[in-house]
Amino acid sequence: MSERRTWEYATIPLLIHNTKAILDSWGVDGWELVTVLSGPGGGDQLVAYLKRPSN
C-alpha cells in the first residue's frame, strides 16, 4: 500500500525584471513551479503558484 502524499502551496507575486532570481530562491527551498497567471489586477502583474511535499 503506497503512502498518500500531501502538498503545501504558495502564491507569490513575480517582478518581471527579477523573475529568475525569485523562482530560484524558492526552488532552493524545495518549491516546484506549477503555473504562472496574471494577477487579479491584470496588467503586467504575474503570480506564481508553487507546491512542495509537506512534512
Side-chain angles (χ1 to χ4, degrees):
M1 184 174 210
S2 64
E3 185 176 321
R4 184 177 204 164
R5 174 170 275 182
T6 57
W7 300 93
E8 60 180 322
Y9 300 92
T11 56
I12 57 168
L14 291 177
L15 304 173
I16 298 299
H17 66 277
N18 205 20
T19 302
K20 182 181 181 326
I22 293 168
L23 293 174
D24 283 348
S25 68
W26 282 78
V28 167
D29 290 333
W31 291 95
E32 177 182 347
L33 180 64
V34 176
T35 193
V36 175
L37 299 174
S38 294
D44 290 339
Q45 179 61 56
L46 297 175
V47 177
Y49 294 80
L50 303 106
K51 71 175 184 176
R52 70 178 175 186
S54 59
N55 295 334

